[in-house]
Amino acid sequence: MARKVLTLAEIRDGSLRNVSFEAIAAAKTIADGGEVVAALVGESVQSYADELIYRGADRVVVVENEKLKNYTPDGFGQALMAVVDAEKPEGIVFGHTALGKDLSPKIATKLNSGLISDVISVEQTGGNFVFTRPIYSGKAFEKKIATDGLIFVTVRPNNIPALERDESRTGNVSSLSVDIKDLRTIVKEIVRKTAEGVDLSEAKVIVAGGRGVKSAEGFEPLKELANVLGGAVGASRGACDAGYCDYSLQIGQTGKVVTPDLYIACGISGAIQHLAGMSNSKVIVAINKDPEANIFKVADYGIVGDLFEVVPLLTEEFKKLKV
Ligand code: FAD
C-alpha cells in the first residue's frame, strides 16, 4: 500500500548528517511507492533542500525561524507538529541520534502513536513491514510490526544504506511558516568538548583506546591511525574513567552505540558493557597484549601484541596504501 512518509533532516556543523539520507532510504521502503517528504528545520536551511532531493526525497518542506537556530525539543517539536498537521503522513522516520531520541517520543505522544526505535533493518513480509532492532545491549534482536495507522520509527546510523546520490532527481521545495511560541528553554552557548572531526556515531572507521593506552598522550598514535583512515577516535569507559580522554568518546552500554565498517580496539579488554556499544561493527580488529582477552571473542582479526608497536606499524602501512 503506497503511503506518504515524512523524514526529518539533521544538520550538524554546516552539513547534512548522513543519517538524514539513511532515513530517506528507510522511508522509501516504507512508502512502498508513495511519497517521501523531508522536513528541513532550522534558522536558515533552505540551501540544503536540493541535496535531500538528490538523496531520494520526493519533496522538501522547509521551516525556517530564528527560534530554530539551535535544537530545542520545544522549538523543533512545534515545527515538526506543524509539518505533520499540514502533511498528514502515514509514516515518520527520524535518525536514532541524540536529537531523534529526544524528539521522537515527544512527537509520538502528541500523535498518540506507537514508536519503534533504534531500527537497523526494514523488510516487507506478507503485507507488513518488519523492523529489526537490537535489545539487551545487542545480545538479541527483536522484530516488530506497527499495528497503528501511523508507522513511526527511528533508524540507527550506519545500518540502512543511503540511496545513491543522483543530481538528476527533481522535486518540489516549499516553505511552511510556523509561529514558534515562546520557548521554555533556549540554548545560550554550545561548548565543544571534543575536537572537530568525524562524528563518532556516523564514522565508517573507529580506532578506540582502552586503559591499555595508559595516558592521554598514549592516544596520539590512535589519533594518527584514525586520521590516515579518515575515521574517528573512540574509547572504553576504562580510558575515560582514568582521565585519558573525554567521556564524549565513550563507547558502550552507557556510552555511544556505534556500527562502523571497521572498529579497531586497542588495549581494550572487551567487557560486556563495552561490547554492547560496538559488537555490531562490520569488521572488528583487536590489538591486545593478553591472548586471553575477551575482545578476541568478538574480533574478526586479532593481533596479540603491544599496541604502541602495532598501531604505528599499521599507520605506516595504511599511509603507503594511500600514496
Ligand atoms: P581494562 O579492562 O583494564 O583492559 C585493558 C586492556 O588493555 C587489557 O586487556 C590489557 O591486556 C590491555 N593492554 C594493556 N597494555 C597494553 C598494551 N601496551 N598493548 C595492548 N594491550 C594492552 N565500559 C565501557 O567501555 N563502556 C561502557 O559504556 C560501560 N558501561 C558500564 C556500565 C556499568 C553499569 C558498569 C558496571 C560498567 C561499565 N563499563 C563500561 C565498564 C566495563 O565493565 C569495564 O570496566 C571497561 O570497559 C574496561 O575498560 P578497558 O577495557 O579499557 O580496561
Side-chain angles (χ1 to χ4, degrees):
M1 185 193 89
R3 51 174 74 75
K4 186 196 279 189
V5 182
L6 180 73
T7 71
L8 173 63
E10 281 191 47
I11 298 162
R12 180 182 286 180
D13 297 334
S15 305
L16 282 162
R17 294 188 68 176
N18 205 45
V19 71
S20 313
F21 311 138
E22 295 166 356
I24 290 173
K28 271 279 198 248
T29 305
I30 301 165
D32 204 8
E35 190 183 33
V36 173
V37 182
L40 192 48
V41 175
E43 187 186 32
S44 177
V45 288
Q46 175 101 23
S47 56
Y48 298 97
D50 285 347
E51 189 62 28
L52 294 167
I53 302 276
Y54 301 156
R55 298 303 192 124
D58 298 305
R59 204 150 58 74
V60 180
V61 177
V62 183
V63 182
E64 291 182 321
N65 190 304
E66 61 183 14
K67 290 181 183 159
L68 300 171
K69 180 175 182 203
N70 291 307
Y71 169 75
T72 58
D74 228 4
F76 272 53
Q78 291 177 46
L80 254 294
M81 281 307 295
V83 178
V84 169
D85 283 345
E87 294 292 335
K88 311 222 172 346
E90 293 141 309
I92 303 180
V93 185
F94 288 1
H96 195 69
T97 56
L99 188 157
K101 283 188 247 183
D102 192 44
L103 191 58
S104 55
K106 187 180 172 83
I107 302 285
T109 306
K110 283 198 181 297
L111 296 173
N112 196 26
S113 89
L115 173 65
I116 303 178
S117 63
D118 203 12
V119 165
I120 58 166
S121 72
V122 189
E123 315 156 282
Q124 195 174 15
T125 43
N128 274 322
F129 286 100
V130 181
F131 300 97
T132 304
R133 59 189 299 274
I135 52 171
Y136 303 123
S137 302
K139 289 196 273 303
F141 294 91
E142 177 176 68
K143 289 186 180 288
K144 280 192 158 176
I145 57 168
T147 55
D148 277 356
L150 180 72
I151 300 176
F152 194 171
V153 300
T154 63
V155 292
R156 184 183 282 198
N158 271 352
N159 280 272
I160 294 171
L163 304 176
E164 278 293 307
R165 185 174 188 275
D166 180 357
E167 283 196 29
S168 68
R169 280 197 186 107
T170 54
N172 182 268
V173 178
S174 60
S175 290
L176 182 68
S177 166
V178 182
D179 176 25
I180 304 289
K181 306 270 180 309
D182 281 344
L183 303 178
R184 284 169 289 189
T185 53
I186 50 171
V187 178
K188 296 292 278 185
E189 189 186 1
I190 295 176
V191 182
R192 188 180 282 279
K193 288 180 85 182
T194 51
E196 296 199 23
V198 184
D199 180 353
L200 201 51
S201 58
E202 290 193 348
K204 298 283 177 206
V205 176
I206 294 177
V207 182
R211 224 178 331 237
V213 168
K214 294 190 176 67
S215 64
E217 298 71 49
F219 264 91
E220 289 307 318
L222 278 62
K223 285 181 192 163
E224 275 180 46
L225 178 57
N227 269 341
V228 169
L229 295 172
V233 172
S236 71
R237 179 156 145 190
C240 301
D241 283 346
Y244 305 160
C245 58
D246 192 82
Y247 279 102
S248 59
L249 300 189
Q250 185 183 319
I251 291 165
Q253 187 181 319
T254 44
K256 293 199 169 76
V257 175
V258 296
T259 26
D261 291 342
L262 174 63
Y263 189 91
I264 306 179
C266 310
I268 295 177
S269 59
I272 190 77
Q273 295 90 353
H274 186 76
L275 303 188
M278 47 63 75
S279 59
N280 287 326
S281 303
K282 293 186 185 77
V283 175
I284 298 171
V285 177
I287 304 166
N288 199 301
K289 282 205 298 198
D290 175 6
E292 301 298 322
N294 201 45
I295 191 78
F296 288 126
K297 291 189 183 145
V298 296
D300 299 283
Y301 300 95
I303 303 173
V304 178
D306 186 332
L307 72 94
F308 294 106
E309 290 171 19
V310 177
V311 172
L313 285 175
L314 288 176
T315 306
E316 286 314 307
E317 289 304 313
F318 283 120
K319 270 188 194 161
K320 285 183 204 160
L321 289 177
K322 286 188 106 176
V323 178

